[in-house]
Amino acid sequence: MSTLTKQTLSHLDWLESEAIHIMREVAGQCSNPVLLFSGGKDSICMLRIAEKAFRPGKFPFPLMHIDTGHNYREVVEFRDKRAAELGERLIVRSVEDSMKRGTVVLKHENESRNKHQSVTLLEAIEEFGFDACIGGARRDEEKARAKERIMSFRDEFGQWDPKNQRPELWNLYNARSHKGENIRAFPISNWTEMDVWQYIEREQLELPSIYFAHTRPVVMRQGSIVPVNVPLMTGELTNLPKAGEEIIDLQVRFRTVGDISCTAPVESDADTVEKIVIETATTTITERGATRLDDQTSDASMEQRKKEGYF
């Protein structure tokens, strides 16, 4: 008589299994999906999920990044390196190109380009005819994201209506859409920042260096740590200090990465993933609350941008 062995799955096993299932549902239900990959920690986890879902075959979708032109150089270089290692197609579309076309107009030279990614994203969706965009947004990041379904429907104008969403019972997902409409799929919706770091630790995933403690010039501005004199890919410096601000060298790390103009680091000495896991377990401030300057303008700022097409 055979002996049955009981196997206990960890919470990371459950989360990973759910994410793989969701990603395969997108591939099965949608005709032309794309995986958004910025080089950030959440999208790095998404690449590992895609590997486990589809290897040894090629991914059934390309990778795409909407580049503001003001992304951290370390992250952009990592993005290109990781896509090349995987041998997957990487599409890059830039907010600067939208500015040249006149579809994005800045109010002033130093305005953050972060919110304008919506325009470039919608233009890229139309250019390639994508019917689904797979992204690494998580519900714990921000309350507007907590409202959203795993398969989030967008109409023909790229708009999201939080009061008109499809029901999701058990693990049944509806990714159907008509021509011109779009689905935003979030396989790691149910993950937390801690889950992401524990998964990175378990899978031994490589990361851009700015996620780890390092010393850089910063100023203190309205209670936030703001990096200054940050080099772009072109070599030009951005985030110049304002008159009267004192520049100090501070040991910091980034909990999240995005447009330089609105992504702040936190003071930290965590220079390994193990130390970051411990630090994350003891923090009392949310990831975006501590680091995203653009979300602090109002309680509804993220929800308004999502309605306009932001991821």
Side-chain angles (χ1 to χ4, degrees), residues 16 19-24 27 46-61:
E16 179 188 71
I20 290 171
H21 170 65
I22 293 166
M23 200 169 285
R24 286 174 174 167
M46 294 286 290
L47 286 189
R48 177 50 57 91
I49 296 297
E51 287 185 274
K52 295 196 175 188
F54 304 112
R55 286 295 191 244
K58 296 279 287 184
F59 294 171
F61 37 66

Side-chain angles (χ1 to χ4, degrees), residues 97-161:
D97 290 335
S98 297
M99 291 166 60
K100 292 175 183 176
R101 287 190 291 269
T103 52
V104 166
V105 179
L106 301 184
K107 293 179 181 178
H108 53 82
E109 183 181 357
N110 296 321
E111 182 189 2
S112 172
R113 301 177 180 185
N114 194 53
K115 67 178 182 179
H116 296 294
Q117 292 179 89
S118 305
V119 174
T120 310
L121 174 60
L122 294 177
E123 289 174 343
I125 289 172
E126 182 177 5
E127 176 186 355
F128 292 98
F130 293 129
D131 60 350
C133 295
I134 309 167
R138 309 186 321 267
R139 288 180 173 138
D140 76 316
E141 290 182 277
E142 205 274 340
K143 56 189 177 184
R145 285 183 165 164
K147 294 181 180 181
E148 201 159 15
R149 302 290 193 263
I150 286 175
M151 297 287 187
S152 178
F153 173 76
R154 306 298 172 102
D155 65 21
E156 63 271 27
F157 301 106
Q159 307 289 292
W160 172 63
D161 182 359

Side-chain angles (χ1 to χ4, degrees), residues 61-77:
F61 37 66
L63 313 179
M64 183 169 72
H65 181 218
I66 304 301
D67 190 346
T68 66
H70 283 185
N71 291 96
Y72 285 95
R73 184 164 61 183
E74 299 94 325
V75 181
V76 173
E77 290 173 347

Side-chain angles (χ1 to χ4, degrees), residues 70-308:
H70 283 185
N71 291 96
Y72 285 95
R73 184 164 61 183
E74 299 94 325
V75 181
V76 173
E77 290 173 347
F78 180 89
R79 175 201 72 188
D80 295 342
K81 171 177 171 289
R82 190 72 189 101
E85 289 172 347
L86 288 169
E88 298 293 344
R89 179 188 177 198
L90 173 65
I91 299 167
V92 178
R93 288 296 179 266
S94 175
V95 172
E96 291 186 343
D97 290 335
S98 297
M99 291 166 60
K100 292 175 183 176
R101 287 190 291 269
T103 52
V104 166
V105 179
L106 301 184
K107 293 179 181 178
H108 53 82
E109 183 181 357
N110 296 321
E111 182 189 2
S112 172
R113 301 177 180 185
N114 194 53
K115 67 178 182 179
H116 296 294
Q117 292 179 89
S118 305
V119 174
T120 310
L121 174 60
L122 294 177
E123 289 174 343
I125 289 172
E126 182 177 5
E127 176 186 355
F128 292 98
F130 293 129
D131 60 350
C133 295
I134 309 167
R138 309 186 321 267
R139 288 180 173 138
D140 76 316
E141 290 182 277
E142 205 274 340
K143 56 189 177 184
R145 285 183 165 164
K147 294 181 180 181
E148 201 159 15
R149 302 290 193 263
I150 286 175
M151 297 287 187
S152 178
F153 173 76
R154 306 298 172 102
D155 65 21
E156 63 271 27
F157 301 106
Q159 307 289 292
W160 172 63
D161 182 359
K163 296 182 180 180
N164 183 24
Q165 299 190 75
R166 295 172 176 176
E168 289 184 344
L169 304 177
W170 304 290
N171 62 343
L172 301 177
Y173 304 110
N174 181 358
R176 288 177 295 177
S177 63
H178 294 105
K179 184 175 178 58
E181 298 172 343
N182 189 258
I183 294 293
R184 307 287 173 89
F186 305 109
I188 61 171
S189 280
N190 293 326
W191 296 36
T192 65
E193 183 185 10
M194 174 63 88
D195 295 328
V196 167
W197 282 111
Q198 288 181 322
Y199 191 72
I200 288 169
E201 181 180 34
R202 189 185 81 172
E203 299 294 312
Q204 299 182 341
L205 301 179
E206 186 181 357
L207 294 163
S209 60
I210 64 173
Y211 277 113
F212 302 101
H214 60 285
T215 300
R216 69 165 60 232
V218 302
V219 297
M220 301 304 298
R221 187 179 297 163
Q222 297 178 340
S224 295
I225 300 170
V226 179
V228 293
N229 298 329
V230 184
L232 299 174
M233 291 296 290
T234 60
E236 178 187 358
L237 297 181
T238 189
N239 262 31
L240 303 180
K242 298 179 179 180
E245 289 184 327
E246 179 187 2
I247 301 176
I248 59 175
D249 289 329
L250 193 65
Q251 186 171 250
V252 298
R253 73 175 181 87
F254 287 81
R255 289 174 67 180
T256 185
V257 294
D259 189 270
I260 294 169
S261 65
C262 61
T263 306
V266 295
E267 192 169 1
S268 173
D269 62 359
D271 56 2
T272 66
V273 173
E274 293 78 12
K275 290 180 182 178
I276 292 174
V277 169
I278 295 171
E279 192 173 270
T280 302
T282 58
T283 187
T284 58
I285 303 176
T286 63
E287 177 182 346
R288 297 188 73 90
T291 65
R292 296 307 292 265
L293 304 178
D294 56 335
D295 288 345
Q296 297 172 13
T297 55
S298 76
D299 288 340
S301 57
M302 169 61 85
E303 182 164 328
Q304 182 59 39
R305 292 204 307 277
K306 288 180 74 64
K307 288 179 180 178
E308 296 169 354

